[in-house]
Amino acid sequence: MKLLNVSGSPHVHSDESTKKIMWRVNLALVPTLIVAIAFFGLNALLISLVSVASCVLFQWLIEKFILKTPSTVCDGSAVVTGLLLAFNVPATREMIWLVIIAALVAIAIGKMSFGGLGKNPFNPALVGRVFMLISFPVQMTTWPKPGENLFSMVSQPTTDATTGATPLGLIKENGVQAAGQVWDYFVGNIGGSLGEVSALAILIGAIYLLCRRIISWHIPVSFIGTAFIFSGILWLCDKTAFVDPLTTILTGGIMLGACFMATDMVTSPMTKAGQLVFGFGCGLLTIIIRNWGNYPEGVSFAILLMNALTPLLNRWFKPKRFAN
Amino acid sequence: MTEIWSAVLVLSITGAIFAVVLYFVAQKFKVVEDPLIDEVAEVLPGANCGGCGKAGCRAMAEAFVKQGNMDGLSCPAGGAEVAKKVAALLGCTPEESEPKVAVVRCNGTCTNASAKTHYDGLQDCAFANSLYTGESGCAFGCLGLGNCARACQFDALSVDPETGLPVVDEEKCVACGACVKACPRGIIELRNKGMKNRRVFVACRNKEKGADARKSCSAACIGCGKCAKTCPFGAITVENNLAYIDFNVCKLCRKCVAECPTGAIHAVNFPPKVERPAATPAADAAKPEAVTAETTTNNTTQA
Amino acid sequence: MKTFAMGGVHPEENKISTAAAIEEFPLPKTAVILMNQHLGAPATPCVAKGDKVKVGQLIGKAEAFMCANIHSPFSGTVAKIDTCKDAFGLAKPAIYINIEGDEWEESIDRTPDIKRQCDLEPKQIVEKLKEMGVVGLGGATFPTHIKYSIAPDKKAEYLIINAVECEPYLTSDHRVMMEHAEEICIGVSILRKALGVPNAYIGIENNKPEPIAVMKAMAAKFEGIIVEPLKVKYPQGAEKQLINAITGRRVPSGKLPIDVGCVVSNVGTSYAVYEAIQKNKPLIENILTVTGKKLAAQHNYHVRFGITYNDIIAHAIGTLPETTGKVISGGPMMGKAVSNLDGPTTKGASSVLVIDESEATRATESNCIRCGKCMNACPMGLEPYLFSALVKNRRIEEAGQHNILDCIECGCCFFSCPANKPLLDEIRLGKNLYRGILMAKKK
């Protein structure tokens, strides 16, 4: 007979694993991916594939040749980064190869340089995106209009749809009256990055994650809630200068950011109170950057800034002790 | 032009004011410290190993200077050389002490003490020790999880994956004692380096009765006392079924080594005793310095 | 439905031996009685080699304060008095007995009649519990007479009987409630009298509807016994959590249940109390579950202490299945892995659990992803992930400041960790090191 195992208790383990969590997040991102392909055609699919493949490849190469540690690509975290990265770029043809650079930055600088999954202080996908936004501002803000019919990829493969602008870009340049229909925003029939256009698809994924208890409601609700309330106050103060709150939360990256990026376990606080503050900070910074910053969109910066605060939030907000 | 001059003037004035302020602040909060401390700290190894019992080399330097001599204080990591330098700075004679080295007193290798269970928990000796006896079933033997190796600041200890026991690199070991403190079972001891690095010691800590000890390890000391009877110098004592060789008394005659029925007594760094027909032992004998501790250990125990 | 305030997990219940009625375990040829089967100092042997002993005869006398008497569970001859390696390989003082026949002390009432009347005064009850060597059978084996000797400045308000059995697999409490409900209620009444409290609460988790029904029906016949069904959540059977679930009170850090007016005893203990007080039968046996997913049959036994694990396995299941990974004494969450099957069972042993190697091997550890599951699962509101990092870097005092000593070692953190970090191992190590630091400071 084999030798008996000996270890400290407990001797059983729940069926949770990092791998399971990451693949479930990937599953939650699928509806958004489908919508992106439906609206932006083959480009969207190619960008996503290239992004995921290069993230996985870079992680494998770094682990194999630089860190010389066993490979962890199977845990699916590189796939998550790849998908989120793809969701954060416009669906233009150039992006199909530019996203490789973004993937390298996200994986090499955003994640592996800190020691891999779990040790990165910033969301790797956002690190990649912000790098691109600063290095390739033109390419990163050239938005194709979503295709006229849902299967545009069949009728006009890989050709860019007419170049348009995001609702936020339009508003930034032309004022509030440029805002469109809330229903379009909700479904995602608007210009924008791959994954941020359809609030509906994002919500489906987020509800799945909530049911699986991979995310809790605290960060999305306080993020979106803060953005809604803060922009609502501004809108009530001056309806001609500020966007109405519903448009605010449905346009740009707030939905995607609040549901999938700010809730990244590694870079967000652990306690519920900390998460509420984290979400509040994200919402507040987003609105400030949108209204008074140079960029029309501020979600990535807001989340990265709050990522930097996460260790402090973890220190300030401790769980309530049973025995006190 | 005026802009330049006014800028120069403003900066000069503020500079002068800050200089005065800084001067007075420096006077006010001056810490009077013996410059000797810095000098002593300079000659100490600076590894902050804690082998002296102080928080670090700086604290040790303070202790030296405060005391003014070296009585009761010694830097095990620095050894005689550093002691000489410190003594020169302090103006006293260094305390004479034999150079020491860490010795692993367990021979529970994977073959001698085969695993009866498989340990599947935290790779930490202190925890495994609190949990149970360890894989071999010997409650006194090495657990092989490497707390000593992690404690060593001088990279002198490593766990041999073949035997599962730690190996001391005598060249690197400075006898700071960090591993002695790290071992939850008190297996490692600092012993005199000995003449030509030769040492004889009991490589076992098992205090159980002979039969019980043998059950978990074939190389265990069974407390039979043959060694104590053989020793012409009375260096060996047997207490609680365990023999111990006092390194201050031992004259390295190795009579006990031959007498021990289980091979629990180790003699290291001796040239092989018996001339053998094979070519390799002869080569070993020719230049014993080149022979590593482990190989000689094996030779002598087999002999 | 009541439960405790925070944290907790819900492991797979696996109560596969609930239907197995309690059987008498046959007598072996030899047995080894360890002298410390309880929390505290070992008892002193008071028989000599060659002595004839009877079942129930005192063989180990409690001399220290924190100690319990040990009685011979067998009749026969004392073969030797020596040390013996227990189930975890540690040598303990022990008495070896060659078993001959089954001759009991005359004072012990072996009739099946139930004796309901108890005329002893509270002090006498405690004294008799001490004499009979009764210890807590919930796992900690705390000597019962010490628990029921309430310091004059403290006052007990609640007696809580722990019949939660929140550990997966274990069914000994389940069976004892099904088969000895009346004895348990008499035992509880005796304990209630010893404490002088108006009410005793029996906490049972809701996944045991049959025992709840049986106990409720029986408790109705007694005064001041209330059966309290509880929501199923591990570790409800932990003392502090059970007190919280039933009374809403919280035992402060570093305090005992009596500091909030509570005394908690296991349901098995109350059965032992009945036998000790009413039947003059010292604590010589316990109900032991032999279970495991891969075993052909599941058993619940009346097992006398001192029978080796090997003997129990041999009788109950023959040989261990080929794919056995671990043998555990106790439940899978808090039990200890047996490393020496030649070791004897002791008073605290509640089960022999055979775990298959597919479940018994820990998965490889990976980086902490700061998901916070350990923290949310911790019933004490602690931060296991933080302890793990602090202990790894030997920042023990800092871990102490974060209340590492509050940890009740329930294992919820490791259970729920998706990165498979050995969190509880690290916390235990940290607790030991921190206690060492505190001791050094006291000196």
Side-chain angles (χ1 to χ4, degrees), chain C residues 41-88:
Chain C
T44 317
C46 55
V47 286
K49 185 179 169 178
D51 282 4
K52 292 271 175 210
V53 292
K54 286 181 185 170
V55 180
Q57 184 184 332
L58 185 71
I59 55 171
K61 209 168 158 39
E63 286 180 344
F65 169 73
M66 192 63 146
C67 192
N69 280 340
I70 287 173
H71 301 78
S72 175
F74 305 100
S75 63
T77 320
V78 176
K80 61 175 174 175
I81 295 171
D82 196 359
T83 57
C84 174
K85 286 190 175 177
D86 69 2
F88 317 105

Side-chain angles (χ1 to χ4, degrees), chain C residues 141-206:
Chain C
T141 58
F142 189 91
T144 305
H145 66 271
I146 301 177
K147 193 182 264 182
Y148 284 83
S149 310
I150 309 292
D153 56 329
K154 307 269 163 65
K155 193 180 173 330
E157 297 163 59
Y158 290 94
L159 170 63
I160 296 167
I161 301 300
N162 186 349
V164 170
E165 206 161 53
C166 59
E167 279 267 13
Y169 290 100
L170 303 194
T171 55
S172 50
D173 289 354
H174 183 112
R175 286 316 306 177
V176 80
M177 283 190 280
M178 294 300 288
E179 297 178 30
H180 302 284
E182 184 162 14
E183 291 95 317
I184 290 169
C185 286
I186 296 168
V188 173
S189 304
I190 293 169
L191 290 176
R192 200 168 65 84
K193 190 173 173 190
L195 286 179
V197 295
N199 286 319
Y201 296 82
I202 304 180
I204 310 176
E205 271 192 354
N206 214 25

Side-chain angles (χ1 to χ4, degrees), chain A residues 3-8, chain B residues 116-120 131:
Chain A
L3 297 180
L4 287 181
N5 265 356
V6 176
S7 66
Chain B
K116 280 89 187 169
T117 51
H118 170 69
Y119 178 62
D120 192 27
L131 190 68

